[in-house]
């Protein structure tokens, strides 16, 4: 369903109603808690309200990797509650991401709660050691998550993490692995961000045209070719350079 002035007004009203909730939740849990309100209509500056300073977010900041993943799922996105992740600084966070929907069921934002449980984990480890236990009981974090006010740094971090998991540079990847890289980046919502294709191309050391083509072919291979174009996609790109070297 296309956006209308009435739907935009409804979404604005929902966001406005949640602004005081952000401060209220953060005040309830104290300095270890951060609450962030996102408006996904503006991915590059999705943070519209924030209370607390666990991840250093500020109003006008970009969404995180988690937000990009939600954006990629569209209206199929659901709440993700009580999951563990780590910041690049090593903080262990217990987080919940609750999607916002308008009356048509369209996902347009999220309310996120991050609680720094690093001290709790450390205390559990000490108590477990004293009591002879084998573990801290805090569970395992899902991995390091990039939180930042600059969407460019978030995108670059995701690209770098994917290359690190491959343990190979772009030049060392075969064609199937290159398509898989673009498929995975697309699945994580990277290409929902304006200028992301150009940024990914620069990070990988390939041409913009090649990046567009790899993205198009990765989507076609997974049946997502009909997905609406990202803000930077305006026309099909020419074929990529040979797989034997950088494009």
């Amino acid at each position: 369903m296309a956006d209308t002035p009435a739907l935009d007004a409804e979404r604005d009203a929902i966001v406005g109603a949640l602004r005081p909730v952000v401060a209220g939740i953060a005040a309830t849990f104290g300095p270890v808690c951060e609450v962030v309100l996102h408006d996904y209509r503006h991915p590059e500056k999705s943070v519209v309200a924030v209370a607390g300073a666990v991840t250093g977010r500020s109003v006008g900041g970009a969404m995180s990797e988690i937000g990009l993943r939600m954006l990629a799922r569209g209206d199929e996105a659901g709440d993700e509650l009580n999951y563990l992740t780590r910041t690049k600084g090593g903080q262990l966070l217990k987080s919940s991401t609750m999607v916002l929907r308008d009356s048509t069921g369209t996902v347009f934002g999220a309310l996120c709660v991050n609680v720094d449980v690093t001290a709790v984990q450390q205390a559990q480890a000490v108590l477990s050691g004293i009591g002879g236990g084998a573990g801290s009981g805090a569970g395992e974090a899902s991995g390091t998550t990039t939180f930042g006010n600059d969407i460019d740094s978030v995108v670059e971090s995701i690209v770098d993490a994917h290359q690190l998991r491959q343990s190979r540079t772009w030049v060392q990847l075969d064609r199937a692995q290159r398509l898989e890289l673009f498929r995975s980046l697309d699945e994580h919502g990277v290409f929902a961000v304006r200028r992301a294709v150009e940024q990914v191309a620069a990070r990988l050391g390939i041409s913009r045209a090649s990046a567009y083509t790899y993205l198009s072919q990765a989507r076609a291979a997974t049946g997502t070719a009909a997905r609406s174009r990202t803000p930077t996609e305006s026309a099909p790109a020419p074929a990529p350079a040979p797989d034997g070297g950088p494009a």
Side-chain angles (χ1 to χ4, degrees):
M1 179 178 293
D3 291 349
T4 65
L7 278 178
D8 271 335
E10 177 188 330
R11 295 165 185 166
D12 289 341
I14 293 172
V15 170
L18 287 173
R19 288 180 187 272
V21 176
V22 169
I25 295 175
T28 299
F29 289 95
V32 297
C33 179
E34 173 190 79
V35 184
V36 185
L37 180 60
H38 289 277
D39 186 339
Y40 289 167
R41 291 174 291 178
H42 311 286
E44 298 88 352
K45 49 180 180 179
S46 69
V47 178
V48 294
V50 60
V54 173
T55 64
R57 318 300 291 282
S58 61
V59 172
M63 60 175 56
S64 69
E65 296 174 52
I66 298 164
L68 288 173
R69 186 171 68 242
M70 289 285 190
L71 194 63
R73 292 174 181 171
D75 297 341
E76 296 180 358
D79 296 344
E80 296 189 10
L81 307 176
N82 293 326
Y83 56 89
L84 293 176
T85 188
R86 286 190 185 276
T87 67
K88 282 192 170 183
Q91 295 164 280
L92 181 66
L93 306 184
K94 184 176 183 181
S95 303
S96 289
T97 300
M98 295 150 283
V99 298
L100 306 181
R101 299 179 188 271
D102 60 26
S103 58
T104 70
T106 298
V107 173
F108 70 93
L111 179 67
C112 304
V113 179
N114 300 310
V115 178
D116 186 348
V117 294
T118 307
V120 174
Q121 182 193 41
Q122 293 170 342
Q124 287 178 329
V126 171
L127 292 174
S128 177
I130 293 174
S136 68
E140 292 295 327
S142 59
T144 300
T145 299
T146 300
F147 298 95
N149 288 312
D150 177 9
I151 192 66
D152 290 349
S153 64
V154 175
V155 171
E156 289 178 357
S157 176
I158 296 174
V159 174
D160 291 347
H162 278 66
Q163 286 202 103
L164 184 62
R165 282 196 290 273
Q166 291 275 10
S167 298
R168 295 181 179 182
T169 65
W170 175 261
V171 177
Q172 295 171 319
L173 298 179
D174 61 28
R175 181 172 181 77
Q177 291 169 327
R178 292 179 179 189
L179 290 174
E180 173 59 22
L181 172 60
F182 271 82
R183 184 206 62 77
S184 182
L185 292 175
D186 195 28
E187 187 178 73
H188 282 76
V190 168
F191 298 111
V193 177
R194 192 177 303 278
R195 297 181 294 101
V197 175
E198 290 88 338
Q199 188 176 353
V200 169
R203 200 68 175 177
L204 294 175
I206 64 177
S207 71
R208 175 177 175 271
S210 290
Y212 272 116
T213 302
Y214 279 115
L215 174 59
S216 176
Q217 293 178 356
R219 287 178 172 176
T222 55
T224 57
R227 181 183 300 177
S228 60
R229 293 185 184 276
T230 65
T232 53
E233 290 183 271
S234 57
D243 289 331

